[in-house]
Amino acid sequence: MAWLLWAALAVGGCGDGDHPACRSDAGCAKNQTCVDGSCKPVACAPLTMECRDGDVWRCNDTGTSAELWVDCQGAEACLESRDINWNCPPNTCAETESALRSCRPTPCVPNQPVCDGELSTTCEPDGSGPAPGGHDCASDGQHCHSGACSERACSPGERLCIGDDVYLCTADGVGVRFFHECEVGTACSAKSASCEPVASPVCAAGERFCRNGDVYACSRSGAAFAVAEHCSPELPCHASYRSHSYTDPDRYGPGGADCLPPFEGVPCTPNERRCLNRQIVAQCNQNGSSSALVGNCTGDAFQCVWGGDCASNACSDGDAICRGNEVVACLQGRFPGPGVDCGDKVCSQEGNHAECTSPICTPGELSCSDRIVDHVTRCNDLGLAIVYYETCEIGSVCSDAGGDVHCEKLGCSAGDSACFANQLGPCGEDGLSLASVTIDCAANGQICDSLGTCVSTVSETLGGDDFTLTSFTSLAGNAVCVDSARRLTELQMALSLPQPATLTWLVLEPSADGLRPIASEDRQHPAGMNLFSSGPLDVLLEAGRCYVFAVDGPLEGTPLYFQEPPLLPRRLSFGHFIGSVGGNSEDYVDPRQVYLMRATTAPVSR
């Protein structure tokens, strides 16, 4: 089955004036690298990272410049990953470890006062820890607290009373921490710094009662009371059925207090039961002149619902659902109607939350996924989400050219400059040939580059800069179908090797039995994170055939770089990228990702 996927596919520089020309790094000075046919100064180790001004900076794949990679925000800063163990001899992993930088919470706030033991100092500008030096508070008979020297507020280990409970002085003598909660009816005594019974309680521990129109609650000790809830004229304080005593928490009945809607002396429907809040139930008398409290719904799983019944929660106050294009809110266990009409907007519901939302797309409209290039997506019927619609067959990607969303065979776009058979011209309607020839590079023993000029050699990068670090089991590489015959002279691939390793560089092609190697090169590589090279190669790439450029070896668990590419980077001067292979599916082409790789090619006759 895997071969059927392949079979469908198989059928089917110079210097810039300021820098010396080159074909590879070997043609440049020691501190230079060959980029697009020119020797450029090396500014940093390719793909390595460093902390700079609290942010993460990354060197590009050629080593010619560094760029801001991650802008650390808030209480985070770029820090080294010191806890990573690469299990390799001393001084052999320095380059790898230097590349491991990330935004992480800082031990302290940058440039703010902080204590380093008894030293009063400030936090490093990057938040990595206390700055060296500072003032020794101990020399003044003081202690460092919150970055400043301070006198002791209490004796270390001393017990203190705060409110009704017992607290303990901290070891530095400048603060306190909670130690013990006094039992109901007792409070911390200033004389003994321990819990003792309250001699003259002023109220029952935990009691709720009405006072001055508000709900008051007695403390656990019974020594004092305070406002627990301010009531409004619409919801005055009433005696209620709420539990109202710490000494008897299971006792429900008149004696508690709540802010409740008026029910005494208010006309009502005879014998009707109704909810005064989520727990308390009132019932109208027989002549409809007044209501009285008749019950309390207890337990977390029950509440008073419409009709004055105690029932398990159908919904909780604050929940909302979509009913048609209306947002309907829960009230006392039910979703009464009508709700709020969303009008030109759309009612959107997620879990127990609903709201009126502006559509993000036109319902039913097709589009191309911005990350998975072989997927056609569709706007859902509400216009609130982009969902999967269709997967293009291998060798095709989603295209929205001209507003027509469809699966399109890989190649060039009609009318664009393209290279086929090492000839330059406008791309034909089929995307796999030229409409006409404008420059014949092959006639001069040259090849085309991606800029539309004739050159003697060209290095091209598969993929871009937005990469994800991942791991695969062994072989990993990219699949390319060739449109212009070339000699492959070098391969490079981004790897992060935890230890030195011998890797096999491979060029493979599909056969009836899967992938068949047509060239291989074993090469020893040092540990580190880099764009590793195969060294010199000489492999004939025939037009009209598909190949895999790959690396094999002890790569299990080795970090590799890949990205989910857009359509445009798939085109190369000598062919087009169709997908990647790797892991346990070495004979399956995955068009959704590409490994960071550079390929250098030259004319066949050279």
Side-chain angles (χ1 to χ4, degrees), residues 355-597:
E355 61 182 351
C356 295
T357 305
S358 298
I360 64 171
C361 55
T362 303
E365 182 179 53
L366 299 180
S367 60
C368 293
S369 169
D370 59 352
R371 289 190 58 79
I372 306 178
V373 298
D374 66 335
H375 278 193
V376 179
T377 51
R378 176 182 180 275
C379 181
N380 70 5
D381 294 338
L382 295 177
L384 297 178
I386 304 295
V387 297
Y388 165 82
Y389 178 71
E390 179 185 6
T391 299
C392 300
E393 65 180 16
I394 295 294
S396 300
V397 293
C398 182
S399 171
D400 56 5
D404 176 25
V405 179
H406 62 284
C407 292
E408 184 175 274
K409 286 286 186 181
L410 292 171
C412 54
S413 299
D416 289 351
S417 177
C419 176
F420 284 92
N422 293 309
Q423 296 175 322
L424 289 166
C427 181
E429 293 295 330
D430 62 358
L432 298 174
S433 63
L434 296 180
S436 61
V437 177
T438 57
I439 303 177
D440 189 351
C441 298
N444 298 321
Q446 294 181 305
I447 57 177
C448 319
D449 66 10
S450 56
L451 300 178
T453 57
C454 297
V455 295
S456 58
T457 184
V458 62
S459 294
E460 298 170 278
T461 300
L462 287 168
D465 292 328
D466 185 16
F467 291 96
T468 302
L469 195 66
T470 185
S471 296
F472 281 85
T473 54
S474 181
L475 182 143
N478 295 317
V480 175
C481 287
V482 176
D483 302 322
S484 296
R486 298 283 176 90
R487 286 175 53 247
L488 178 66
T489 60
E490 183 186 16
L491 285 175
Q492 292 174 289
M493 188 167 184
L495 300 171
S496 180
L497 298 179
Q499 58 189 8
T502 298
L503 303 181
T504 301
W505 295 82
L506 294 165
V507 178
L508 309 104
E509 64 176 1
S511 68
D513 299 323
L515 294 178
R516 178 177 66 87
I518 60 173
S520 67
E521 182 74 27
D522 291 338
R523 188 173 179 84
Q524 177 70 24
H525 297 285
M529 181 181 291
N530 207 336
L531 200 62
F532 290 94
S533 171
S534 65
L537 297 174
D538 190 3
V539 182
L540 175 63
L541 304 178
E542 299 181 38
R545 301 184 70 88
C546 299
Y547 301 88
V548 171
F549 307 145
V551 175
D552 196 7
L555 294 177
E556 185 169 355
T558 297
L560 304 173
Y561 286 93
F562 77 90
Q563 70 169 168
E564 294 174 343
L567 176 61
L568 293 179
R570 290 174 171 264
R571 186 69 194 167
L572 298 169
S573 68
F574 63 94
H576 52 274
F577 167 77
I578 58 173
S580 64
V581 297
N584 296 319
S585 301
E586 297 175 0
D587 56 354
Y588 172 75
V589 179
D590 186 349
R592 297 169 299 175
Q593 66 182 35
V594 52
Y595 293 106
L596 174 54
M597 176 181 283

Side-chain angles (χ1 to χ4, degrees), residues 49-299:
M49 297 185 186
E50 66 172 333
C51 292
R52 188 187 302 176
D53 299 326
D55 300 318
V56 184
W57 285 70
R58 174 183 178 271
C59 187
N60 62 16
D61 58 355
T62 61
T64 54
S65 65
E67 61 182 3
L68 180 64
W69 189 245
V70 182
D71 184 6
C72 299
Q73 302 291 326
E76 291 190 338
C78 178
L79 298 176
E80 297 181 9
S81 300
R82 300 179 184 277
D83 55 344
I84 294 181
N85 178 17
W86 290 102
N87 294 319
C88 53
N91 303 320
T92 61
C93 293
E95 183 179 351
T96 301
E97 292 173 353
S98 70
L100 298 172
R101 306 290 187 270
S102 61
C103 294
R104 290 187 292 164
T106 57
C108 53
V109 180
N111 301 314
Q112 295 301 306
V114 67
C115 290
D116 184 7
E118 291 297 340
L119 291 177
S120 171
T121 182
T122 57
C123 185
E124 293 278 17
D126 61 0
S128 58
H135 181 70
D136 186 0
C137 297
S139 64
D140 300 329
Q142 296 181 316
H143 291 268
C144 187
H145 181 64
S146 299
C149 295
S150 173
E151 297 286 350
R152 284 179 172 169
C154 52
S155 299
E158 177 186 8
R159 290 187 300 180
L160 305 165
C161 291
I162 298 180
D164 288 341
D165 300 317
V166 183
Y167 285 73
L168 199 64
C169 184
T170 56
D172 57 11
V174 295
V176 295
R177 62 178 177 83
F178 178 78
F179 179 67
H180 180 65
E181 180 183 67
C182 291
E183 297 178 356
V184 175
T186 68
C188 182
S189 169
K191 292 182 179 181
S192 63
S194 60
C195 299
E196 296 183 2
V198 175
S200 302
V202 298
C203 51
E207 177 186 13
R208 290 168 61 95
F209 55 90
C210 294
R211 186 185 180 96
N212 300 325
D214 295 321
V215 178
Y216 278 71
C218 188
S219 65
R220 288 175 55 87
S221 65
F225 53 82
V227 176
E229 189 175 358
H230 289 287
C231 297
S232 65
E234 294 78 21
L235 298 172
C237 186
H238 283 282
S240 76
Y241 271 75
R242 180 178 291 204
S243 175
H244 55 85
S245 172
Y246 280 121
T247 57
D248 190 4
D250 296 327
R251 178 161 62 91
Y252 286 80
D258 278 286
C259 298
L260 300 174
F263 59 91
E264 295 174 334
V266 177
C268 51
T269 302
N271 299 318
E272 181 185 54
R273 291 166 63 95
R274 66 190 181 101
C275 303
L276 297 181
N277 58 24
R278 294 187 65 180
Q279 275 78 40
I280 300 170
V281 183
Q283 184 170 4
C284 188
N285 60 18
Q286 292 184 353
N287 59 26
S289 61
S290 182
S291 297
L293 303 181
V294 295
N296 182 78
C297 299
T298 63

